[in-house]
Amino acid sequence: QVQLVESGGGLVQAGGSLRLSCAASGRFFSSYTMGWFRQAPGKERESVAAISWSGSNTYYADSVKGRFTISRDNAKNTVYLQMNSLNPEDTAVYYCAASDWVLAGEPVLHEYDSWGQGTQVTVSS
């Protein structure tokens, strides 16, 4: 497994931007599919974006397409989520996670077995 620590969350006004980072420790980070998930109060955890081990394949939930960008730097063992044009519906705790599975379509939660502690993103109207 890999240990994950998210950072970059905070309070932002609607229309603003944030960049989340997820730093990984442990071996073989570059072999993992990485995903970003979020969970709003009273709602189930949902997938937001994911990226293959090489960065050549990505997935985005419909709700964030065109606004969010996932990327990774395997030399730094870090995955990023650039979030633009934020709106109050994006308010949630954001988690990064690692999976041994190849990225093929929408991420499946149970395929991700290493999770960070989460970082809060709050978007005010």
Side-chain angles (χ1 to χ4, degrees):
Q1 286 192 337
V2 62
Q3 291 74 46
L4 305 171
V5 178
E6 302 97 335
S7 61
L11 174 64
V12 63
Q13 288 188 333
S17 299
L18 283 174
R19 188 194 196 201
L20 305 183
S21 299
C22 173
S25 60
R27 301 179 67 185
F28 309 122
F29 169 78
S30 61
S31 67
Y32 289 101
T33 294
M34 297 299 296
W36 284 98
F37 299 80
R38 66 186 181 187
Q39 188 165 18
K43 295 187 177 181
E44 293 185 352
R45 192 170 297 188
E46 63 177 2
S47 58
V48 174
I51 189 167
S52 62
W53 67 272
S54 67
S56 61
N57 189 21
T58 57
Y59 162 88
Y60 295 97
D62 287 343
S63 59
V64 307
K65 278 182 183 176
R67 300 188 298 122
F68 290 12
T69 302
I70 189 170
S71 62
R72 66 190 296 163
D73 185 338
N74 287 339
K76 295 183 178 180
N77 281 12
T78 303
V79 62
Y80 305 97
L81 186 67
Q82 178 67 44
M83 306 186 295
N84 299 329
S85 302
L86 285 161
N87 59 62
E89 290 70 37
D90 296 316
T91 295
V93 177
Y94 284 71
Y95 300 88
C96 72
S99 171
D100 291 326
W101 291 75
V102 173
L103 179 59
E106 182 176 0
V108 179
L109 265 67
H110 69 76
E111 293 178 352
Y112 289 75
D113 53 15
S114 296
W115 291 82
Q117 82 289 350
T119 185
Q120 176 70 47
V121 171
T122 303
V123 184
S124 62
S125 58

